[in-house]
Amino acid sequence: MKTHFSIFLQIFVVILIAENNRAAIAPSIKTCPRNSPNLAECLIKAVDVMKPQISTGYYGPNLISDVNLTRVLIGDIAVNRNINVKLLGMYIVGMNNFKIEKLRINPEKFKIEIIVSIPHMDGFAKYSLGWNLGIFAIQGAGDENFSLDNTKVLMKLSGTRYPRNGVEYLKIDSAEMTIKSGNLRVYFDNLFNGQKALEKAANEVINQNIELFKGEVFPPIEQNLSKILLRLATQIFDSAPYEEFFPIK
Ligand SMILES: *[C@@H]1O[C@H](CO)[C@@H](O)[C@H](O)[C@H]1NC(C)=O
Ligand SMILES: *[C@@H]1O[C@H](CO)[C@@H](O)[C@H](O)[C@H]1NC(C)=O
Ligand SMILES: *[C@@H]1O[C@H](CO)[C@@H](O)[C@H](O)[C@H]1NC(C)=O
């Protein structure tokens, strides 16, 4: 009798632990059936409905991401090639106003490609800059801001499914974010130690050569954005089993 009871107790405890480990998906996350013929459309709608959560990073008590698209912290960027520029503590505001233009997903091998458009973003950083444009050797340090309009961004994610406590989860293996197009305008405050006329003229010249500037600065920004996307996707898919995101119906 005693052993029966203890076996019963052990089974009960095992079930209890299993239930606890099996995290429930945050209620704010809309799910899409994996085998639906309209999976891509379903996901576009689901992401749209989740915009408030994506904007704040708060999906529910068991899923609070440190990434929110209202204000994205890019961190420090340093480039030292044709342009010598440091952008420190850079952050971007307004990414949460994105709209999905296109989405492709293969839910079996987890691969997803999304093109989003973002109408307007503002960015801020501390800078130091040295840029020799032939006629003009621009230099300075201080506050920098920029605006990025009509931006298109391509995001690619891939992952593998793996068992955790007997339940299938998704591990994100790679995340890539590329800025496909967008009108960038920058303003560097305090160029030439804040001699205003020179500062204004230099900013004009920089914006006339904005494609060169983009070519130098976008790649490291994209690298950091890719890391941020990896972090966000990992936090989301770590929070619940794969089946709960993409049930088979
Ligand atoms: C969003 O993230 C930024 C950068 O990490 C942070 O400064 C800001 O406080 C966050 N906003 C919210 C609402 O959590
Ligand atoms: C941003 O990328 C640079 C390299 O380009 C790296 O040194 C820096 O640590 C990154 N910052 C963040 C927040 O990932
Ligand atoms: C960028 O900086 C310039 C010069 O300091 C200022 O006039 C402008 O309002 C700033 N833009 C934003 C979005 O803060």
Side-chain angles (χ1 to χ4, degrees):
M1 197 59 209
K2 199 161 177 243
T3 48
H4 270 113
F5 181 71
S6 109
I7 287 169
F8 175 77
L9 201 72
Q10 276 178 30
I11 291 171
F12 183 72
V13 167
V14 165
I15 290 172
L16 210 73
I17 292 172
E19 281 301 312
N20 272 335
N21 279 344
R22 196 183 173 121
I25 194 165
S28 65
I29 293 184
K30 302 290 166 238
T31 62
C32 289
R34 195 181 310 186
N35 48 343
S36 157
N38 306 319
L39 178 56
E41 283 150 60
C42 176
L43 268 180
I44 291 175
K45 282 200 192 112
V47 171
D48 201 49
V49 172
M50 282 160 56
K51 265 200 183 150
Q53 286 76 27
I54 296 168
S55 297
T56 59
Y58 187 86
Y59 296 82
N62 69 348
L63 178 52
I64 302 167
S65 174
D66 67 344
V67 178
N68 68 73
L69 295 195
T70 305
R71 185 182 155 118
V72 176
L73 183 64
I74 308 275
D76 302 342
I77 301 288
V79 182
N80 193 355
R81 299 194 316 174
N82 300 318
I83 308 174
N84 191 338
V85 62
K86 280 200 178 84
L87 298 168
L88 304 179
M90 181 198 288
Y91 63 93
I92 296 179
V93 176
M95 223 179 239
N96 54 317
N97 294 321
F98 70 90
K99 177 170 177 285
I100 298 182
E101 300 288 344
K102 217 177 198 175
L103 187 150
R104 285 209 312 216
I105 179 167
N106 176 340
E108 290 312 321
K109 298 177 193 179
F110 183 82
K111 276 192 193 311
I112 187 163
E113 276 188 33
I114 309 173
I115 295 177
V116 303
S117 61
I118 307 162
H120 179 80
M121 291 180 270
D122 286 307
F124 304 89
K126 294 277 175 207
Y127 82 91
S128 70
L129 175 70
W131 188 0
N132 195 335
L133 273 160
I135 37 157
F136 220 176
I138 297 169
Q139 49 92 11
D143 292 320
E144 189 258 18
N145 70 35
F146 60 89
S147 62
L148 199 49
D149 287 292
N150 301 321
T151 307
K152 280 211 161 52
V153 173
L154 170 65
M155 291 186 269
K156 285 187 188 178
L157 288 166
S158 67
T160 33
R161 284 140 62 183
Y162 70 98
R164 187 201 295 174
N165 306 320
V167 189
E168 196 177 63
Y169 278 74
L170 181 72
K171 178 182 178 296
I172 301 293
D173 299 317
S174 75
E176 220 182 286
M177 201 151 155
T178 345
I179 303 169
K180 287 297 174 196
S181 61
N183 299 329
L184 177 68
R185 279 199 69 81
V186 295
Y187 197 90
F188 293 90
D189 203 35
N190 200 48
L191 285 173
F192 301 105
N193 299 314
Q195 300 174 58
K196 282 296 160 194
L198 268 175
E199 176 191 300
K200 252 189 108 192
N203 273 295
E204 293 278 318
V205 173
I206 291 170
N207 282 296
Q208 279 158 15
N209 291 278
I210 203 71
E211 292 306 318
L212 289 176
F213 187 79
K214 276 184 186 173
E216 301 280 315
V217 168
F218 273 10
I221 290 179
E222 289 169 336
Q223 265 180 31
N224 287 31
L225 282 171
S226 299
K227 282 188 221 160
I228 291 164
L229 179 63
L230 180 69
R231 212 165 76 230
L232 174 61
T234 298
Q235 287 168 0
I236 289 175
F237 285 107
D238 265 353
S239 74
Y242 191 62
E243 160 74 19
E244 294 199 29
F245 291 96
F246 298 108
I248 299 173
K249 283 199 173 134

